[in-house]
């Protein structure tokens, strides 16, 4: 009948308009798409300014001071240490060579004191 | 510099390959690679090969990727691109140290390459190489001072190195370069300002921080943060009147926030309890419906005032029908006086409501609805449960259930009471009743699963969880995928008590892997957060990741794993399971044959099931792989599978235990258990200085702890009997022991401990065990000490009694099976509900029907006949 035919046409038109061919079952949005976007490529933003120079100088000054302080510290600590003591500390306390050496240096090479401090 | 430079056409193609990689258009990238490589002049072009490998890696073809990249690198060792790509590959497999080496090599050939420096900085912050990070970021800043990220990265480097003043300076310089209009809402600028303020506060520059806040207030979007920070700063600067104003405003905004009341107390500085109470009385008038202003005074009031305030609080809650009201008061139960006031008041309510439907005989006014009585009885059940009177508790909850048999909360509490009384099976049964009342409620479902696991019913628990997990995958697998750690922890504990150590260790390792994953997950946020300017959250994330393994989930898993490894060290498993071997000693030939047949059949069945499971898994993997083929980035390499048998037969259980222990030693130093577990491990390893370290740390927390005492006794004995110790080690031991403990004779130390703590059962038990350990001839006296149950003794509870019973049975107090039986009977009289004290055979007769399922044990028996 004509009426039914019209109804059919209408339904078809509707479907085409929505553009969804099949109905997808609604799933919980676990946010995976958003997480993916985290690693998307994005251009870095630039600063447009003329005051970069003053800003940079503030920093440069600090840097040279830091470098000097670091060098001095390393010189202080680079005292002669006995290898066997380091091995002993490493074995007894199950720590890395670096930590063992550092602790020995901080106690002026005194193994007993270093060990006591490590057991605290 | 690369050895072969490409002509313009190929060079353009190469640039497009790089672009495609950046924009994740992998198939296009491969097309361009093919175009370059198909030209015979450039078929071995190192950099193109490397890029092809990198693209393939993003598509999941790992082995091919590595081949190509290595080939490319071999063809062009001086190319920074090749080294860079190799580094990226290693990074994607979480081989961070290798990756850093590759990046450094790449930088050798191209010192100022931005991309490589950026990637290096990401790895450095991931590995928390803060000094290195700062250096790299400085280089980036010098190369590109116009880029926002350079400044922010540099500032963050200083912030993390705790050089707050420098960080604040850098941010200020950067802020000055930002141009924003005051009438537009700029969220990123607002976040930058708040971050800057945070740095100023951490630097202790409170005045500057407050000035900064007031200057830029209008441009900050997060108004609540502004107000709360202002309040804190004013308190730190001791400008109390202004602080009081701020907290009053905040209180208007949200009268239920505890911290605003604490802030108000600090600002108004009340001299006495009455003045303190006035703050809350004002709040009662302003916010008559507020719960928090009624609850907070209960913490500092006492006596009659406490009772008055409590009366108001409880009436309001009971009339309204508020289930968690007991939970809100639980923190008061340390105070015995308050406990008795509460009991008195609420029991009075109950009696009065039952007879006259009103809270008190002196009330006049409306009658309370019947539900009020219900909530009062519910409260009393929890109250008596808390103070250990389980029979009273059950009476009240059963009365409540009788009047309202369909309320889930009631069954939940009934289950809890049984759990505390020591009967986990009964508890599981009632929890199952509760969940059956509403199978769509995930909370009660999870609670039920948890109790089933505590009762050792692992399969039933899995079926319970399956009601809510994803279809198509097994519940256990899905729960592992979802990092559902409470489930895995309880599973581990259940398997451990069933002595299925391999399965338990598998769960512990799965939990450990979750923590590794959570640590790895932060990688992408290093760039993302700086781009989005959400710096406060970013720094919070970094700080959280630093202390991640402080979380109780990790602690519990580690504790379980360490205990299992200690067990495996003491009683290693052999090729056939130890239980089977023990049984075969007493069987006749015929029975032996039957047993072997049964074992063979069981093995075959297990094998078939395993094959079926593997086939299922293969199928699932195939389906998953199909989905992954399109543009999916594979994260990390395939993980090595955890096989229970292999885990339980590990070569060196103590070393495995130390792996779990190390994060605890760094992050959970305040718990004595960490140090005592550490001692147990080192005791078996005979590392005396580490034993010393453990007892020193434990001693600082609680010198009288019973377990610590046992460790100390064994320690002293070990030290006195040790030979071949290095001289310095002996010196350290002698010095420290005499400094901390005075003496080092195990026997006299034990005797002194016993004398000091003669009236406390847990301490007596510890001393008794050590008495036997040091001298087995004292067994009779030791046992006598341990089994005393007199009312006058302190700290008598279900846990310690269960422990004593265990010890009587397992030999740590010598051969004492008969005494154990007598002890059990005595305990049952005191604790009638506890499973551990029930007569032997009780548990077999008690089957639990879960959702109406019939136990499968009868079926198995039929199959074996």
């Amino acid at each position: 009948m004509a009426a039914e035919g019209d109804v059919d046409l209408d339904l078809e038109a509707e479907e085409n308009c929505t553009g969804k061919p099949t109905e997808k079952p609604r799933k919980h949005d676990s946010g995976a798409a958003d997480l993916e976007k985290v690693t998307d490529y994005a251009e870095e933003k630039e600063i447009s300014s003329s005051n970069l120079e003053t800003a940079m100088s503030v920093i440069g000054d600090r840097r040279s001071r830091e470098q000097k302080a670091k060098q001095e510290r390393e010189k202080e600590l680079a005292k002669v240490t006995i290898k066997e003591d380091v091995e002993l500390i490493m074995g007894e306390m199950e720590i890395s060579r670096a930590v063992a050496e550092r602790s020995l240096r901080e106690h002026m090479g005194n193994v007993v004191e270093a060990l006591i401090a490590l057991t605290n | 510099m690369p050895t072969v430079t490409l002509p313009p056409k190929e060079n353009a193609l190469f640039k497009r390959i790089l672009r495609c990689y950046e924009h994740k258009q992998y198939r296009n990238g491969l097309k361009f690679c093919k175009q370059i490589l198909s030209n015979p002049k450039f078929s071995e072009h190192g950099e193109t090969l490397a890029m092809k490998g990198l693209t393939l890696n993003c598509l999941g073809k790992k082995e091919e990727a590595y081949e190509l990249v290595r080939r490319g690198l071999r063809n062009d060792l001086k190319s920074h691109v090749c080294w860079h790509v190799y580094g990226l590959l290693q990074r994607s497999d979480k081989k961070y140290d290798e990756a850093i080496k590759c990046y450094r090599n790449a930088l050798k050939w191209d010192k100022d390459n931005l991309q490589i420096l950026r990637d290096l900085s990401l790895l450095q912050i991931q590995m928390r190489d803060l000094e290195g990070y700062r250096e790299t970021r400085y280089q980036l800043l010098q190369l590109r001072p116009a880029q926002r990220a350079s400044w922010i990265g540099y500032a963050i480097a200083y912030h993390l190195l705790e050089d707050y003043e420098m960080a604040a300076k850098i941010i200020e310089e950067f802020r000055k370069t930002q141009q924003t209009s005051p009438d537009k809402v700029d969220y990123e600028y607002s976040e930058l300002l708040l971050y800057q303020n945070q740095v100023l506060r951490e630097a202790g520059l409170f005045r500057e921080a407050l000035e900064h806040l007031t200057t830029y207030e209008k441009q900050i979007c997060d108004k609540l943060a502004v107000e709360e920070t202002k309040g804190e700063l004013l308190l730190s600067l001791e400008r109390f009147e202004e602080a009081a104003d701020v907290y009053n405003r905040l209180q208007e905004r949200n009268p239920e926030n505890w911290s605003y009341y604490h802030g108000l107390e600090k600002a108004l500085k009340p001299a006495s309890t009455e003045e303190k109470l006035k703050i809350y009385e004002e709040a009662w008038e302003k916010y008559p419906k507020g719960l928090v202003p009624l609850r907070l005074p209960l913490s500092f009031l006492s006596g009659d005032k406490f009772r008055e305030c409590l009366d108001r609080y409880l009436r309001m809650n009971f009339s309204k029908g508020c289930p968690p009201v007991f939970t809100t008061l639980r923190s008061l139960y340390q105070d015995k006086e308050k406990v008795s006031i509460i009991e008195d008041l609420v029991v009075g309510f109950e009696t009065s409501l039952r007879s006259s439907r009103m809270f008190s005989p002196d009330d006049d006014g409306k009658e309370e609805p019947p539900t009020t009585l219900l909530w009062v009885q519910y409260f009393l059940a929890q109250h008596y449960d808390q103070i250990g009177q389980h029979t009273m508790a059950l009476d009240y909850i059963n009365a409540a259930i009788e009047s309202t048999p369909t309320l889930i909360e009631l069954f939940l509490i009934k289950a809890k009471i049984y759990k505390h009384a020591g009967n986990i099976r009964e508890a599981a049964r009632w929890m199952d009743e509760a969940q059956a009342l509403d199978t769509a409620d995930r909370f009660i479902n999870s609670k039920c699963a948890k109790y089933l696991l505590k009762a050792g019913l692992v399969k039933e628990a899995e079926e319970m969880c399956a009601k809510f997990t994803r279809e198509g995958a097994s519940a256990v697998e899905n729960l592992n995928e979802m990092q559902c750690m409470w489930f895995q922890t309880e599973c581990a504990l259940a398997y451990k008590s069933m002595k299925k150590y391999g399965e338990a260790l598998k769960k512990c390792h799965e939990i450990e892997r979750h923590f590794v994953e959570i640590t790895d997950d932060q990688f992408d946020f290093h760039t993302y957060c700086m781009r989005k300017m959400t710096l406060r959250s970013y720094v919070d994330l970094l700080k959280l990741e630093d202390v991640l393994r402080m979380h109780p989930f990790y602690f519990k898993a580690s504790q379980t794993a360490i205990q299992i490894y200690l067990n495996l060290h003491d009683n290693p498993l052999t090729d056939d399971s130890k239980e089977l071997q023990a049984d075969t000693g007493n069987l006749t030939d015929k029975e032996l044959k039957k047993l072997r047949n049964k074992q063979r059949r069981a093995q075959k069945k297990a094998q078939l099931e395993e094959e079926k499971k593997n086939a299922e898994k293969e199928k699932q993997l195939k389906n998953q792989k199909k989905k992954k083929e399109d543009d999916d980035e594979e994260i990390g390499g395939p993980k090595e599978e955890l096989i229970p048998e292999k885990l339980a037969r590990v070569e060196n259980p103590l070393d495995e235990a130390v792996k779990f222990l190390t994060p605890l030693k760094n992050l959970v130093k305040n718990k004595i258990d960490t140090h005592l577990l550490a001692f147990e491990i080192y005791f078996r390893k005979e590392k005396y200085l580490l034993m010393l370290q453990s007892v020193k740390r434990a001693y600082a927390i609680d010198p009288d702890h019973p377990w610590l005492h046992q460790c100390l006794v064994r320690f002293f004995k070990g030290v006195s009997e040790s030979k071949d110790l290095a001289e310095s080690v002996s010196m350290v031991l002698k010095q420290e022991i005499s400094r901390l403990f005075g003496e080092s004779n195990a026997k006299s130390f034990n005797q002194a401990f016993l004398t000091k703590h003669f009236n406390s059962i847990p301490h007596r038990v510890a001393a008794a065990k050590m008495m036997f350990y040091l001298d087995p001839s004292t067994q009779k006296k030791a046992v006598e000490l341990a089994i005393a149950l007199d009312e006058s003794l302190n700290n008598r509870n279900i846990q310690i009694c269960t422990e004593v019973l265990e010890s009587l049975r397992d030999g740590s107090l010598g051969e004492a099976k008969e005494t154990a039986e007598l002890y059990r009977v005595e305990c049952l009289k005191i604790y009638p509900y506890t499973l551990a004290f029930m007569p032997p055979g009780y548990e077999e007769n008690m089957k639990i029907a879960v959702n109406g399922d019939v136990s499968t044990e009868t079926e198995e028996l039929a199959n074996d006949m």
Side-chain angles (χ1 to χ4, degrees):
Chain A
M1 292 206 277
E4 256 181 56
D6 284 347
V7 171
D8 283 329
L9 277 171
D10 279 330
L11 283 175
E12 266 184 23
E14 246 183 62
E15 270 191 2
N16 287 335
C17 288
T18 54
K20 268 204 188 139
T22 52
E23 199 181 87
K24 284 195 180 144
R26 287 186 58 203
K27 283 160 79 172
H28 167 67
D29 178 13
S30 55
D34 290 330
L35 267 181
E36 264 297 308
K37 289 198 193 133
V38 168
T39 47
D40 276 356
Y41 178 74
E43 287 284 349
E44 286 292 348
K45 281 208 189 150
E46 303 263 320
I47 316 168
S48 56
S49 95
S50 45
N51 293 337
L52 281 177
E53 277 190 42
T54 32
M56 291 301 292
S57 67
V58 169
I59 298 170
D61 194 35
R62 194 27 151 35
R63 285 272 308 167
S64 47
R65 274 188 286 140
E66 273 170 10
Q67 295 283 46
K68 246 175 85 178
K70 194 169 173 193
Q71 277 172 4
E72 280 187 33
R73 243 181 310 158
E74 291 302 313
K75 250 174 42 182
E76 269 295 309
L77 293 175
K79 295 216 167 105
V80 177
T81 54
I82 309 167
K83 194 163 171 220
E84 297 97 55
D85 282 346
V86 174
E87 303 271 327
L88 177 74
I89 297 179
M90 278 174 69
E92 282 295 324
M93 301 303 293
E94 292 189 358
I95 49 180
S96 68
R97 183 176 294 276
V99 180
E101 273 185 20
R102 189 165 197 100
S103 108
L104 196 55
R105 284 187 187 141
E106 281 172 5
H107 289 93
M108 308 301 163
N110 184 329
V111 180
V112 173
E113 271 187 39
L115 284 172
I116 292 182
L118 283 170
T119 56
N120 275 338
Chain B
M1 285 274 97
T3 16
V4 179
T5 6
L6 293 169
K9 184 176 126 207
E10 273 76 10
N11 209 6
L13 275 173
F14 189 72
K15 285 207 166 47
R16 290 178 82 179
I17 298 176
L18 294 176
R19 199 113 298 160
C20 286
Y21 171 71
E22 274 169 355
H23 289 273
K24 296 191 184 167
Q25 291 162 354
Y26 301 131
R27 298 227 175 265
N28 285 343
L30 283 178
K31 256 196 288 181
F32 296 135
C33 284
K34 197 164 165 190
Q35 284 190 343
I36 298 185
L37 292 170
S38 55
N39 186 331
K41 271 203 287 181
F42 306 116
S43 63
E44 285 297 308
H45 185 228
E47 296 183 346
T48 316
L49 287 170
M51 279 312 296
K52 182 170 176 199
L54 186 63
T55 314
L56 284 173
N57 187 43
C58 295
L59 289 170
K61 302 202 171 92
K62 238 172 231 317
E63 284 192 25
E64 240 187 286
Y66 267 97
E67 253 184 63
L68 281 164
V69 173
R70 289 203 178 107
R71 213 169 95 198
L73 193 55
R74 262 186 304 221
N75 293 349
D76 202 346
L77 268 173
K78 298 201 183 137
S79 155
H80 66 271
V81 173
C82 292
W83 279 108
H84 188 191
V85 169
Y86 195 31
L88 286 173
L89 220 62
Q90 306 274 39
R91 182 191 89 190
S92 72
D93 278 338
K94 315 280 169 65
K95 298 191 200 139
Y96 294 132
D97 287 319
E98 295 296 318
I100 291 188
K101 277 193 223 154
C102 292
Y103 289 148
R104 291 215 183 272
N105 276 329
L107 282 171
K108 267 194 247 166
W109 301 112
D110 188 355
K111 208 164 43 79
D112 290 332
N113 184 311
L114 272 177
Q115 196 53 45
I116 303 177
L117 283 169
R118 272 200 210 113
D119 284 337
L120 177 62
S121 77
L122 290 180
L123 274 180
Q124 284 169 321
I125 184 70
Q126 178 79 3
M127 306 299 285
R128 299 292 192 275
D129 172 13
L130 295 176
E131 302 259 342
Y133 183 63
R134 187 184 57 187
E135 292 305 308
T136 316
R137 286 249 76 113
Y138 179 66
Q139 274 185 285
L140 281 166
L141 182 59
Q142 291 210 299
L143 289 169
R144 279 276 186 284
Q147 274 196 350
R148 264 182 13 162
S150 321
W151 289 86
I152 311 233
Y154 197 46
I156 292 194
Y158 274 101
H159 184 184
L160 296 172
L161 281 166
E162 298 188 5
D163 188 346
Y164 303 115
E165 300 204 19
M166 189 62 184
K169 231 187 271 179
I170 300 172
I171 304 176
E172 179 56 25
E173 291 302 321
F174 172 66
R175 192 201 59 73
K176 285 194 225 161
T177 66
Q178 292 295 296
Q179 299 160 338
T180 54
S181 54
D183 40 303
K184 265 210 304 192
V185 168
D186 187 344
Y187 191 76
E188 287 184 7
Y189 187 58
S190 157
E191 278 299 304
L192 175 68
L193 290 168
L194 283 171
Y195 177 63
Q196 188 178 11
N197 200 281
Q198 178 176 331
V199 172
L200 287 169
R201 290 197 316 271
E202 289 189 25
L205 303 166
F206 298 127
R207 207 171 39 85
E208 286 82 347
L210 189 60
E211 274 172 36
H212 175 261
L213 201 58
T214 22
T215 321
Y216 297 109
E217 202 176 325
K218 293 223 169 36
Q219 287 167 305
I220 299 180
C221 305
D222 187 348
K223 301 295 179 197
L224 181 60
V226 170
E227 284 297 302
E228 288 183 339
T229 315
K230 227 192 255 180
E232 277 171 32
L233 285 170
L234 287 166
L235 280 179
S236 314
L237 291 170
E238 304 197 343
R239 284 153 65 166
F240 294 120
E241 269 189 42
E242 294 166 79
D245 280 334
V246 172
Y247 280 110
N248 270 315
R249 277 204 304 271
L250 283 170
Q251 192 190 38
E252 269 173 46
R253 208 177 197 277
N254 178 5
E256 296 291 306
N257 188 325
W258 290 48
S259 59
Y260 300 158
Y261 291 91
H262 292 314
L264 210 51
E265 276 187 33
K266 280 195 219 148
L268 295 173
K269 308 230 280 195
S272 65
T273 320
E274 283 83 35
E275 285 191 30
K276 227 195 229 187
L277 187 57
K278 237 207 263 150
I279 303 176
Y280 294 96
E281 286 171 345
E282 278 178 30
W284 295 347
E285 275 179 55
K286 277 195 271 181
Y287 315 109
K289 285 196 187 170
L291 283 175
V292 165
L294 274 177
R295 165 66 183 85
L296 286 179
L298 294 176
S299 306
F300 60 78
L301 290 173
S302 55
D304 283 333
K305 274 280 175 199
F306 174 77
R307 195 194 173 97
E308 218 184 285
C309 198
L310 181 70
D311 190 85
R312 281 173 89 122
Y313 181 71
L314 286 178
R315 279 180 189 241
M316 190 172 168
N317 278 295
F318 286 145
S319 288
K320 193 174 169 187
C322 174
V325 66
F326 178 79
T327 321
T328 63
L329 295 179
R330 195 186 275 135
S331 57
L332 300 173
Y333 275 66
Q334 308 286 350
D335 183 331
K336 289 210 157 82
E337 197 205 314
K338 292 190 180 171
V339 172
S340 67
I341 296 180
I342 296 174
E343 186 167 315
D344 196 52
L345 191 62
V346 185
V347 171
F349 284 169
E350 205 260 348
T351 333
S352 176
L353 282 166
R354 248 187 304 128
S355 55
S356 65
R357 290 259 198 115
M358 287 195 286
F359 278 116
S360 145
D362 317 318
D363 276 358
D364 48 28
K366 311 206 301 214
E367 283 185 347
E368 294 287 331
T371 48
T372 313
L373 175 62
L374 169 72
W375 293 117
V376 171
Q377 287 170 331
Y378 178 74
F379 182 95
L380 283 172
Q382 293 174 78
H383 167 87
Y384 283 111
D385 178 44
Q386 178 78 14
I387 59 179
Q389 293 181 25
H390 300 120
T391 318
M392 287 288 279
L394 283 172
D395 284 342
Y396 276 109
I397 202 68
N398 283 328
I401 290 178
E402 224 186 282
S403 73
T404 321
T406 54
L407 186 58
I408 296 183
E409 278 86 341
L410 302 177
F411 292 103
L412 207 154
I413 292 301
K414 187 165 179 178
K416 274 200 182 167
I417 298 173
Y418 273 113
K419 180 180 91 162
H420 296 149
N423 192 335
I424 189 62
R425 299 202 124 213
E426 196 64 27
R429 183 178 145 221
W430 288 108
M431 207 46 106
D432 183 56
E433 276 288 324
Q435 73 81 33
L437 286 170
D438 186 355
T439 53
D441 184 327
R442 191 170 196 161
F443 166 74
I444 195 67
N445 173 283
S446 304
K447 214 66 183 144
C448 182
K450 191 174 189 180
Y451 273 55
L452 287 170
L453 285 172
K454 284 190 195 278
L457 301 167
V458 180
K459 198 159 78 78
E460 287 81 345
E462 191 184 331
E463 284 167 17
M464 185 63 65
C465 283
K467 294 184 191 176
F468 280 91
T469 53
R470 189 158 52 103
E471 276 190 38
S474 92
V476 170
E477 263 178 51
N478 185 237
L479 289 169
N480 184 32
E481 213 184 297
M482 294 294 115
Q483 298 182 335
C484 184
M485 291 197 250
W486 68 261
F487 182 81
Q488 292 173 304
T489 312
E490 291 296 332
C491 265
L493 289 168
Y495 283 130
K496 177 166 161 257
S497 58
M498 291 194 269
K499 303 212 191 297
K500 291 191 179 162
Y501 294 132
E503 299 282 343
L505 283 174
K506 180 172 173 184
K507 294 286 173 213
C508 294
H509 280 275
E510 282 177 350
I511 295 177
E512 208 266 326
R513 283 183 180 181
H514 293 324
F515 277 85
V516 171
E517 254 180 57
I518 296 175
T519 315
D520 285 336
D521 281 343
Q522 63 180 308
F523 191 82
D524 292 324
F525 289 92
H526 301 307
T527 17
Y528 186 72
C529 287
M530 279 203 252
R531 202 165 74 215
K532 293 288 181 185
M533 215 43 111
T534 51
L535 300 170
R536 289 183 297 157
S537 321
Y538 176 58
V539 172
D540 279 347
L541 172 67
L542 293 179
K543 298 209 167 132
L544 171 69
E545 294 275 3
D546 282 341
V547 296
L548 192 65
R549 284 170 177 74
M550 205 189 267
H551 196 278
F553 277 149
Y554 186 79
F555 187 81
K556 275 196 195 153
S558 294
Q559 198 179 34
T560 312
I562 292 173
Q563 285 166 344
I564 295 177
Y565 281 124
L566 288 172
N567 235 313
L568 287 175
H569 172 89
D570 294 340
N571 311 306
L573 298 174
T574 49
D575 272 329
D576 281 327
S577 161
K578 248 202 154 189
E579 292 126 67
L580 288 172
Q581 278 206 332
D583 287 340
T584 54
N586 304 328
L587 296 174
T588 64
D589 274 333
K590 191 169 165 202
E591 289 173 346
L592 197 64
K593 194 168 166 194
K594 211 171 166 192
L595 178 65
R596 291 271 179 249
N597 277 337
K598 185 174 173 194
Q599 282 179 3
R600 234 173 287 140
R601 256 180 289 142
Q603 233 183 343
K604 198 162 178 198
K605 189 173 172 194
Q607 220 181 343
L608 276 169
E609 268 197 50
E610 193 68 39
E611 279 175 21
K612 208 166 92 181
K613 231 200 284 175
N614 282 341
E616 254 314 309
K617 231 192 223 175
E618 286 276 341
K619 210 167 85 178
Q620 272 189 5
L621 262 163
K622 260 204 205 138
N623 288 341
Q624 281 178 6
K625 263 210 171 131
K626 260 202 210 146
K627 285 189 217 153
K628 273 196 167 185
E629 287 259 318
D630 305 322
D631 305 321
D632 250 338
E633 210 174 290
E634 202 166 279
I635 312 159
K639 295 213 177 80
E640 196 190 296
E641 209 190 308
L642 294 167
I643 305 172
E645 289 78 39
K646 268 173 66 179
L647 289 170
R649 282 170 177 66
V650 69
E651 282 267 327
N652 217 326
L654 293 178
D655 286 337
E656 297 293 318
V658 170
K659 285 189 204 161
F660 276 101
L661 176 72
T662 314
L664 297 184
K665 275 175 76 172
N666 291 329
L667 296 170
V668 197
K669 291 190 207 174
N670 57 334
K671 272 197 165 171
I672 200 172
D673 286 8
T674 305
H675 307 299
L676 297 174
L677 282 169
F679 179 86
E680 298 289 342
I681 299 177
Y682 297 132
F683 181 68
R684 288 156 175 81
K685 278 182 135 190
E686 296 186 25
K687 292 274 169 136
Y688 285 98
L689 289 181
L690 285 167
M691 281 190 248
L692 176 67
Q693 182 194 60
S694 313
V695 298
K696 266 168 91 168
R697 292 177 177 178
Y699 197 73
I701 299 175
D702 180 4
D704 297 314
H705 197 276
W707 185 4
L708 171 61
H709 174 72
Q710 296 182 56
C711 294
L712 282 170
V713 168
R714 288 179 289 160
F715 180 52
F716 292 154
K717 178 162 189 259
V719 169
S720 63
E721 289 176 1
S722 63
K723 319 178 205 27
D724 305 328
L725 283 181
E727 201 191 306
S728 32
V729 175
S730 300
M731 271 183 74
V732 173
L733 287 171
K734 213 163 87 174
Q735 205 174 316
E736 288 296 279
I737 290 177
S738 63
R739 180 176 73 85
L740 286 166
F741 309 109
E743 58 158 317
S744 60
N745 179 305
K747 265 199 182 149
S748 48
F749 184 75
N750 192 35
Q751 190 55 46
F753 184 81
L754 179 61
T755 320
K756 185 173 174 200
H757 299 284
F758 199 69
N759 286 326
S760 163
I761 296 188
H763 297 83
R764 288 166 68 107
V765 173
K769 281 192 188 173
M770 287 299 103
M771 191 187 279
F772 178 74
Y773 172 78
L774 291 170
D775 181 1
S777 71
T778 59
Q779 190 210 11
K780 198 156 163 250
K781 184 149 184 253
V783 170
E784 249 180 64
L785 273 172
I787 62 173
L789 281 172
D790 199 52
E791 279 249 344
S792 64
L793 296 170
N794 299 328
N795 299 324
R796 186 183 74 177
N797 55 44
I798 295 179
Q799 196 189 349
I800 190 64
C801 293
T802 319
E803 204 189 297
V804 173
L805 189 58
E806 255 304 299
S807 314
L808 290 168
R809 287 177 179 162
D810 72 12
S812 35
L813 284 167
E815 186 49 56
K817 292 239 164 72
E818 286 172 12
T819 325
E821 186 53 28
L822 292 167
Y823 185 72
R824 181 193 67 70
V825 171
E826 286 305 309
C827 287
L828 189 59
K829 291 189 198 152
I830 311 173
Y831 301 113
Y833 300 104
T834 312
L835 267 182
F837 306 142
M838 296 294 185
Y842 178 85
E843 274 196 49
E844 275 80 61
N845 296 334
M846 224 204 115
K847 297 269 181 283
I848 299 183
V850 174
N851 275 345
D853 288 353
V854 178
S855 151
T856 53
E857 280 189 34
T858 40
E859 284 176 42
E860 275 183 23
L861 271 170
N863 284 340
D864 276 339
M865 293 302 181

